Amino acid sequence: MSDPIPVIARPLRRAAMAQRQPQDPRFRDRGGARPAPTQSGPVQPGPARPGPGRPAAAPRPAPPTVGIAVPAAAAAPLPRTNHLFAGAQFAFIASILMLGLYIGLTSTWTLLEPDFLIGLSLTAAATSLLFAVPPSGALRGLLVLVPTIDILAVGFFRDTLPNLPTSGLLIVIPVLWLAGGFGVSALPVPVFGAIFVSLIPVARAGAWPTTPGGWGAICILPALVLIISVTVHLAARQLRAHEGRARIALAAATEAAAVATTVSESVDAAVAFFRPDGTAALRNQATYEQAELAGFDRKTRAGVHVYGPDRKTRLLPEEQVINRALRGESFRGELYWVGEPGNQRAIIGNARQVHTDDGTFVGTITVGHDVTDLADAVALREAFLIDVSHELRTPLTSIIGYLDLLTEGHDLRQLGLEREVSTIQRNAEQLYAIIGDLLAAGDAEMRVRIAHTDIADIARASVGAILPQASEAGVIVRAEIPPHVELEGDGGRLRQVLDNLLSNAVKYTPRGGRVVLTVAVEGKTCTVNVADTGIGISPDDQRQLFDRFFRAREVRDEARPGVGLGLSIVKSITEAHHGWITVSSRPGRGSTFTVTLPLRQPRAGAPSAS
């Protein structure tokens, strides 16, 4: 079976080995009040969850239930409410009052003219009708009569003041009302109303105009009203279309925000989203808890009690997650500890920039997973493995020693025990190698002794050592090694690398297959390839291939022996030499492991060769 601890535990190993601090029992209880909905503004510490010895916080309201469908009302056109129309009518009345004030200052007697009084009566009737019609229902269509009556009133006002041409401009308000507030069926009303206004003087004169100027005076107003009506109507339709799309977009954005808030409060991690200007647009309750534990300072955007993986090295503000994220860094799996010593929590920090489909930068999101329980489990497992390995190694060394004495001091063939003792010796040596791997894997840091060594000689020795196993398995081993390749490294550790790779290649290659080891120099690096025609590795397994205790599915299915430490040790040794290892494989087509090592190790203060 594969290792039960998730992959997220990988960054915790070294820190857990360096410090095995028991978990503070006050933080074992993850219960408590429901988180409150998030608010906009800078990040600031909030209340921590209750634990033993701490009074429980008052229950917070649960986040609102969010739906998925966009409300149908979002696509509705501009509202044609009586309040909107009342504004237009009051503007018309205000214009009439200004006209009446002008008349009162210039010719007071005109205020008593029948036509002026009729116009006032029509305006009063239209205003009364506006408030008499209910805001909804079948009678609501009668509102079209209000601007129509206003147009008739303009005709009488204009006839009262034939020497004041600007009085005809009063028709603009009801025309705009009809064109923008009603459908296309209402467009003829303002045109016919303008014709009516223009024909009132003709009716009073009792004769049609006889000059082009007279006909122009009659036609100009209806023509202008027609142009204005069509233009306003088209503009209103376009505005309603834009407003409908805006409503849909607003509803979708509101729903997305509600979903994001609910999701952020539903996950057991601190989630925060920052706008491009650095202000926090979203953060959940867990963010406040971690901020309080870290002693968060809003000015520096950093915590006072934030430490590195070793729990001791205090991180500077610019090294902490939020400041790194706001500088544009994207990362994941960064381990750090928050809280004062003795009351610390292990956090795995992630940060990523958010862009729209067209590449526009909209902000940065940070996520902090509390993995304290996992860190404690990793530390406990590491301590157990190391302690057990040490305890087993001492008696096993004695067993192997006495087996050697037994082999050297007696003729096992004559005693008929050669096969049995050989089997015991082989399994004891295998167990000793496994214990050595466990101890090597348990090191907080892989230690190497750098010296001048010949990787070509090491490769030939490894090939010679694997030949008996390969012959028994029916696998051909071929080597392409130059006479000498000198580099700086730990010869014993490099031999361990090649032995592991060759042993795996032979173990997982069916009878009749082949294994090829190649050593080559490329510039300032040495490349070692171990290629086989074995069972191969799936892409999913390749992502975890170098994790400790991980074993590929094909290997587990065939119940092949092993504990899944060899490749993790190979990777640790390679990286300790400032090199790297890669794998290329396809199921059923074999695998190729490539180890790249610098010929010269970097000196103190010099950049790494990798």
Side-chain angles (χ1 to χ4, degrees), residues 153-433:
V154 172
F156 287 98
F157 289 137
R158 187 185 184 194
D159 188 58
T160 304
L161 302 168
N163 297 325
L164 185 63
T166 55
S167 61
L169 293 178
L170 291 174
I171 198 175
V172 171
I173 295 177
V175 166
L176 294 178
W177 184 351
L178 284 167
F182 297 92
V184 68
S185 58
L187 286 181
V189 176
V191 178
F192 285 113
I195 294 174
F196 169 77
V197 171
S198 298
L199 290 180
I200 286 182
V202 175
R204 288 195 175 279
W208 293 99
T210 56
T211 62
W215 282 106
I218 295 177
C219 297
I220 189 65
L221 184 61
L224 290 175
V225 168
L226 176 62
I227 294 173
I228 294 174
S229 299
V230 173
T231 302
V232 171
H233 177 74
L234 294 177
R237 286 186 59 182
Q238 188 175 12
L239 179 62
R240 291 191 188 102
H242 286 307
E243 199 255 359
R245 288 192 290 269
R247 282 170 175 260
I248 295 175
L250 178 60
T254 302
E255 185 134 342
V259 170
T261 301
T262 304
V263 169
S264 69
E265 294 292 355
S266 301
V267 298
D268 192 17
V271 180
F273 176 72
F274 298 91
R275 301 184 184 93
D277 61 0
T279 58
L282 171 70
R283 61 240 188 265
N284 62 357
Q285 182 64 23
T287 304
Y288 291 109
E289 297 175 9
Q290 292 185 14
E292 181 185 34
L293 193 62
F296 187 81
D297 183 1
R298 287 198 285 181
K299 293 182 178 179
T300 61
R301 294 183 181 276
V304 178
H305 308 297
V306 180
Y307 303 87
D310 61 358
R311 291 193 180 190
K312 297 179 179 178
T313 305
R314 194 185 300 269
L315 295 183
L316 299 176
E318 59 270 18
E319 298 174 334
Q320 297 183 25
V321 168
I322 293 179
N323 287 320
R324 291 178 58 190
L326 294 181
R327 287 200 305 267
E329 293 187 42
S330 294
F331 51 85
R332 61 181 304 164
E334 297 284 341
L335 173 66
Y336 58 96
W337 293 80
V338 299
E340 299 183 38
N343 182 25
Q344 293 179 321
R345 306 291 296 176
I347 308 296
I348 290 290
N350 304 323
R352 185 174 180 179
Q353 292 186 337
V354 182
H355 296 82
T356 60
D357 292 338
D358 61 0
T360 303
F361 173 64
V362 296
T364 303
I365 188 167
T366 62
V367 180
H369 296 273
D370 189 329
V371 292
T372 308
D373 294 340
L374 183 58
D376 292 339
V378 170
L380 181 62
R381 187 180 72 170
E382 299 292 347
F384 173 78
L385 289 176
I386 292 176
D387 292 343
V388 170
S389 299
H390 277 294
E391 293 297 327
L392 291 176
R393 193 173 193 177
T394 300
L396 188 59
T397 302
S398 298
I399 293 174
I400 294 174
Y402 278 105
L403 284 172
D404 292 339
L405 291 175
L406 186 63
T407 303
E408 296 172 358
H410 299 82
D411 188 348
L412 298 180
R413 181 177 299 179
Q414 182 180 0
L415 296 174
L417 298 174
E418 181 181 19
R419 180 179 179 184
E420 288 79 0
V421 173
S422 176
T423 301
I424 296 173
Q425 195 169 24
R426 183 175 63 254
N427 284 280
E429 289 175 351
Q430 182 180 356
L431 182 57
Y432 190 85

Side-chain angles (χ1 to χ4, degrees), residues 567-581:
L567 289 178
S568 67
I569 294 174
V570 167
K571 183 174 184 289
S572 297
I573 295 174
T574 302
E575 292 179 346
H577 283 82
H578 299 93
W580 61 92
I581 182 171

Side-chain angles (χ1 to χ4, degrees), residues 52-78:
R54 180 186 300 171
R60 307 175 192 270
T65 303
V66 294
I68 298 301
V70 175
L78 285 172

